[in-house]
Amino acid sequence: EEMDTTSASGDTAEHITSGEAEVYDRQIRLWGIEAQNKLRKSRVLVVGMQGLGAEVAKNLVLCGLNAMTIIDPEPITLDDTRSNFFVSQESIGQSRASASRAGVQALNPLVKIEMGEKLDDVDVTSFSLVILNDQPFAVVMATDEKCRAARVPFISSSVFGWIGYAFFDFDGNTFIMKKPEDIPIATIEGEGVPEEAGPAMTTIMDEEDKYEERPVAYASFAETFNVELRTKKDVRKAKHLLPRSWHAVKAMLRPSTQASLKVATTEKMKSEVVWQQWAAEHKETGQDKEATEVTTEWAQFLIGPQLSAVTAIIGGFVAQEAIKALTGGKNTLHNTVVHSALDTTTHVVKLPF
């Protein structure tokens, strides 16, 4: 049985089954039948199934995709069982993807849940959207470049203990965006307007007329996270616009940080590695005072298991922007969200400046 989606203008949208209409009723009311049909035709790749990946997969499978492919060959650890709600201690030793697959599928039997072995084995350009969670810097940068070349929307996100980020690159994709304020939206002649009231023209600001569909430009992952502060003006901007949590994320993304953490044998050694790199990030933006305020006590909160509250917040932002990317939604974020449970702040950072 099918639900008729013929519009008032006579255009016929793609049919959606009555079963789907019942399952997705609340969200159809929220974003409309056209957006739901776009979602049900989408194929999404999710790489990385720690706690953050579980949140992302959960949010997106519930929205009604056509198919989702999950990839994470790493074995389940005790830390995973504390943040990934799809696995248990009985799952330890299994791959994260295989241990999570049944739980993801159970949330929505209408979505095809597939599993890949390795990121290198799949063609990322064959997907409607690619999401990398908790992946190495070089892998994220290379995958983003492939997606940009094919105009495939790309998201990267990570959670480091109590701090996390989500980066969005939807370069060249079309969205509903607010028109520039200096463009008149509509005008009428001001008949009967007293002369003292000024020019006989009035701007009409109907809400629908404030927006337009247009391709949107995004910076790449490399342009965003390898940004060089070449001038004093750039340094001043960085000092005032970049939150402390941004520097923590940059420090944790550094390949040198990850390499040092792998060889550190104690929690104290790991905390010292993070502390040094975090302070160094502050110094690069002229924040010498802030660099001295970073402590090993703060750093230790970046090396433990992913805090569930942070994975939920970052996972929520990822899903929100993913749905916009798949449906051509309104007012996408540019281009990085950073959340810190250490100081309970969330910032949207647009780089390069």
Side-chain angles (χ1 to χ4, degrees):
E1 186 178 352
E2 294 184 331
M3 171 183 169
D4 188 1
T5 58
T6 303
S7 67
S9 64
D11 296 327
T12 302
E14 200 169 325
H15 289 300
I16 182 170
T17 67
S18 59
E20 289 175 312
E22 183 176 349
V23 171
Y24 303 132
D25 176 69
R26 293 179 66 183
Q27 58 203 51
I28 289 173
R29 295 173 188 271
L30 176 64
W31 52 57
I33 192 71
E34 182 180 354
Q36 188 62 47
N37 274 307
K38 289 179 179 179
L39 289 171
R40 71 196 288 267
K41 292 188 293 184
S42 298
R43 294 179 63 243
V44 175
L45 174 63
V46 177
V47 180
M49 287 299 295
Q50 296 186 64
L52 175 57
E55 285 285 350
V56 171
K58 178 257 294 180
N59 292 339
L60 291 181
V61 77
L62 290 173
C63 81
L65 306 173
N66 173 45
M68 177 188 294
T69 298
I70 57 176
I71 294 177
D72 194 333
E74 293 299 313
I76 295 288
T77 66
L78 184 59
D79 279 355
D80 291 325
T81 66
R82 294 166 178 164
S83 60
N84 181 340
F85 39 72
F86 291 126
V87 304
S88 64
Q89 291 195 18
E90 287 71 32
S91 307
I92 291 176
Q94 300 177 41
S95 79
R96 289 173 180 149
S98 62
S100 302
R101 183 179 185 179
V104 177
Q105 184 68 82
L107 289 177
N108 192 345
L110 297 176
V111 180
K112 302 170 189 173
I113 305 300
E114 301 165 334
M115 191 175 70
E117 292 298 323
K118 295 186 299 182
L119 177 58
D120 291 340
D121 294 339
V122 300
D123 176 11
V124 295
T125 65
S126 67
F127 291 89
S128 311
L129 170 69
V130 173
I131 304 174
L132 267 55
N133 305 302
D134 304 308
Q135 298 303 299
F137 189 95
V139 172
V140 175
M141 189 162 59
T143 307
D144 180 39
E145 291 302 323
K146 291 179 183 177
C147 291
R148 280 176 70 85
R151 289 287 188 264
V152 174
F154 174 82
I155 298 175
S156 171
S157 61
S158 292
V159 169
F160 307 107
W162 286 41
I163 289 179
Y165 87 96
F167 162 80
F168 313 106
D169 183 358
F170 307 147
D171 189 55
N173 286 265
T174 299
F175 298 95
I176 301 172
M177 305 298 290
K178 195 167 185 179
K179 293 180 179 178
E181 293 184 1
D182 58 345
I183 296 178
I185 307 239
T187 58
I188 59 171
E189 291 190 13
E191 295 181 3
V193 178
E195 291 184 7
E196 62 270 17
M201 297 292 285
T202 304
T203 301
I204 300 177
M205 301 291 284
D206 289 336
E207 188 63 29
E208 290 184 3
D209 291 336
K210 293 180 182 179
Y211 295 88
E212 63 182 356
E213 286 191 4
R214 67 170 187 268
V216 180
Y218 274 77
S220 69
F221 183 82
E223 291 168 332
T224 300
F225 285 90
N226 285 331
V227 62
E228 294 183 12
L229 307 176
R230 294 188 176 91
T231 67
K232 290 183 179 180
K233 183 178 180 181
D234 288 341
V235 173
R236 286 196 302 271
K237 281 186 177 181
K239 189 171 183 178
H240 290 94
L241 298 178
L242 297 181
R244 177 176 287 148
S245 50
W246 165 262
H247 301 284
V249 166
K250 281 287 299 292
M252 294 302 292
L253 284 173
R254 282 187 175 189
S256 58
T257 304
Q258 294 303 317
S260 297
L261 287 174
K262 286 182 179 179
V263 298
T265 56
T266 66
E267 294 298 307
K268 182 178 180 181
M269 291 173 64
K270 293 178 180 179
S271 295
E272 288 179 349
V273 167
V274 174
W275 163 58
Q276 291 171 359
Q277 299 280 26
W278 190 352
E281 285 292 337
H282 276 292
K283 290 179 180 178
E284 285 192 8
T285 56
Q287 297 184 343
D288 293 337
K289 178 178 179 293
E290 289 79 359
T292 63
E293 293 173 349
V294 177
T295 65
T296 53
E297 285 73 20
W298 287 1
Q300 69 181 343
F301 287 101
L302 273 64
I303 59 175
Q306 294 182 338
L307 187 65
S308 295
V310 179
T311 62
I313 290 170
I314 296 298
F317 274 110
V318 169
Q320 168 189 287
E321 297 306 297
I323 291 169
K324 291 179 188 178
L326 294 170
T327 63
K330 182 182 289 186
N331 288 340
T332 55
L333 295 179
H334 279 71
N335 56 350
T336 308
V337 173
V338 183
H339 174 75
S340 170
L342 287 175
D343 54 11
T344 60
T345 59
T346 304
H347 297 267
V348 178
V349 179
K350 184 177 180 180
L351 284 170
F353 294 128

